[in-house]
Amino acid sequence: MIVTTTDFVPDFRISEIKKVIFSEQVISVNAAKDIMNGIKGIFGGSLESYSDEYKTVRENAVSDLKKQAEMLNGGAIIDLHISYGQFINSDMLCITAMAYGTVVDIERLND
């Protein structure tokens, strides 16, 4: 499955626009990671475990979009957008990702 942030796929033409698809994902941050990141934040430094959580939520959202596109027999997802958020729920930090794109059929251009 081709996934791109552009509204085209090089060397292909869009033969059909199928549907705009969406994926909303939420994960909670481990409390131990949250405490350690709080301590690191005080003294400065990279918060790699938070970066890993954002990577995980993004990968989950894109994976969900790919599954939806495959169910529509699409050839590509174009114009991919991802936005992130966070909130605290019952003393737990949650990270969110909302992703959307357009499922299309594509045909390779003749050489």
Side-chain angles (χ1 to χ4, degrees):
M1 176 68 56
I2 296 171
V3 180
T4 180
T5 58
T6 63
D7 60 358
F8 66 94
V9 179
D11 300 323
F12 289 84
R13 78 172 188 85
I14 295 172
S15 58
E16 180 183 357
I17 296 173
K18 292 196 170 262
K19 185 178 181 181
V20 176
I21 54 175
F22 299 85
S23 178
E24 298 84 13
Q25 301 291 316
V26 178
I27 61 172
S28 62
V29 175
N30 178 305
K33 285 184 186 179
D34 201 25
I35 291 168
M36 292 305 293
N37 281 322
I39 293 169
K40 280 185 177 179
I42 292 170
F43 297 104
S46 175
L47 305 179
E48 290 179 23
S49 61
Y50 277 145
S51 296
D52 291 343
E53 299 296 340
Y54 278 94
K55 179 180 178 182
T56 298
V57 76
R58 180 188 71 243
E59 288 174 346
N60 290 348
V62 172
S63 176
D64 183 46
L65 291 178
K66 287 179 179 179
K67 288 176 189 172
Q68 291 180 55
E70 288 169 1
M71 290 179 65
L72 294 167
N73 294 317
I77 302 169
I78 61 170
D79 207 21
L80 173 69
H81 293 271
I82 301 174
S83 61
Y84 300 96
Q86 58 192 18
F87 63 92
I88 297 176
N89 184 16
S90 301
D91 300 323
M92 181 182 341
L93 176 64
C94 296
I95 296 174
T96 65
M98 202 285 273
Y100 64 92
T102 303
V103 179
V104 296
D105 273 341
I106 53 176
E107 296 175 355
R108 184 171 290 281
L109 295 174
N110 294 332
D111 295 309

